[in-house]
Amino acid sequence: QVQLQESGPGLVKPSQTLSLTCTVSGGSISSGGHYWSWIRQHPGKGLEWIGYIYNSVTTYYNPSLKSRFTISVDTSKNQFSLKLSSVTAADTAVYYCARAYCSGGSCYSGYWGQGTLVTVSS
Amino acid sequence: QSVLTQPPSVSAAPGQKVTISCSGTNSNIGSYYVSWYQQLPGTAPKLLIYDNNKRPSGIPDRFSGSKSGTSATLGITGLQTGDEADYYCGAWDSSLSGLWVFGGGTKLTVL
């Protein structure tokens, strides 16, 4: 059974860079066909897709978000990561990592991490 | 403002049936498959339906999905108190250069 677990700081100061890591267990992050994704949820709001990485090197980000996000993979640790630069209070949210399938007109995720709350505050 | 439109809330009594709608456009629901998620308070979303009407292993057949044109519907029969949660629809959208979009969520109250 694939499991995902986010880790990272719960509190980040404005203008700093947020770094989150998602550790994958029960399956290899190098196996094909999966879109390793980050999704966030602002307090009391809906889901917002940030982006994904697939084939370990190809990334794609939500074009409606400003390009402050970077997703990368560390296959040796079976982890993928999210970096968000120049954070503001508007980036306060629960951040989820997920294993998605996005191909052939379909995009969905059956495997999610538990989520990690990130608060941006001085 | 979410790309896909859902009613903020629905309610029904235990044992009854409820439907949750998800409205979109030709650039999302009209052209791509829809998925549905259940989010219990304080937990991560859980996939209920993918590809419009398919249930992952372990999801009871009380949950069903359908799509017509640019709208989709999640149906839940035999409502249980444990079904009280937020429900989200999602789909790919070909706007801009393509993005994965979600509805704003619907709070289901089992009276």
Side-chain angles (χ1 to χ4, degrees):
Chain A
Q1 176 78 345
V2 174
Q3 292 184 315
L4 297 90
Q5 176 71 58
E6 304 89 350
S7 59
L11 180 64
V12 182
K13 289 182 167 52
S15 81
Q16 291 187 338
T17 295
L18 165 66
S19 293
L20 296 175
T21 297
C22 182
T23 300
V24 179
S25 58
S28 172
I29 202 168
S30 301
S31 60
H34 303 304
Y35 294 69
W36 302 98
S37 305
W38 288 96
I39 295 156
R40 68 180 179 181
Q41 186 171 33
H42 294 102
K45 302 296 185 182
L47 303 168
E48 181 177 54
W49 172 67
I50 295 170
Y52 56 55
I53 185 167
Y54 64 98
N55 293 336
S56 298
V57 293
T58 303
T59 54
Y60 184 66
Y61 301 99
N62 186 330
S64 68
L65 297 177
K66 291 185 178 180
S67 55
R68 296 182 294 124
F69 298 93
T70 303
I71 299 174
S72 60
V73 162
D74 185 337
T75 55
S76 67
K77 296 181 179 178
N78 222 36
Q79 296 175 333
F80 64 107
S81 300
L82 173 71
K83 290 189 187 299
L84 173 58
S85 62
S86 305
V87 299
T88 70
D91 294 311
T92 293
V94 174
Y95 287 76
Y96 294 100
C97 61
R99 191 186 86 172
Y101 176 79
C102 295
S103 183
S106 186
C107 194
Y108 61 88
S109 175
Y111 296 95
W112 297 67
Q114 65 184 28
T116 185
L117 174 62
V118 175
T119 302
V120 179
S121 175
S122 55
Chain B
Q1 190 79 359
S2 299
V3 174
L4 305 180
T5 301
Q6 298 179 236
S9 63
V10 296
S11 62
Q16 297 299 304
K17 175 182 178 178
V18 71
T19 60
I20 297 173
S21 62
C22 176
S23 177
T25 66
N26 285 323
S27 67
N28 42 65
I29 292 178
S31 300
Y32 298 95
Y33 292 105
V34 176
S35 56
W36 289 91
Y37 304 85
Q38 176 194 63
Q39 187 175 36
L40 297 169
T43 69
K46 175 183 179 181
L47 180 66
L48 294 177
I49 298 289
Y50 67 99
D51 289 357
N52 299 336
N53 54 19
K54 296 177 182 176
R55 281 178 287 106
S57 174
I59 301 300
D61 58 7
R62 299 190 299 110
F63 296 91
S64 63
S66 63
K67 187 183 100 168
S68 178
T70 59
S71 294
T73 301
L74 173 71
I76 311 173
T77 60
L79 275 173
Q80 303 172 1
T81 55
D83 295 331
E84 271 206 358
D86 293 323
Y87 292 83
Y88 294 91
C89 58
W92 190 256
D93 189 303
S94 60
S95 299
L96 302 174
S97 49
L99 68 164
W100 186 6
V101 296
F102 296 92
T106 298
K107 170 65 177 177
L108 168 62
T109 300
V110 180
L111 302 168

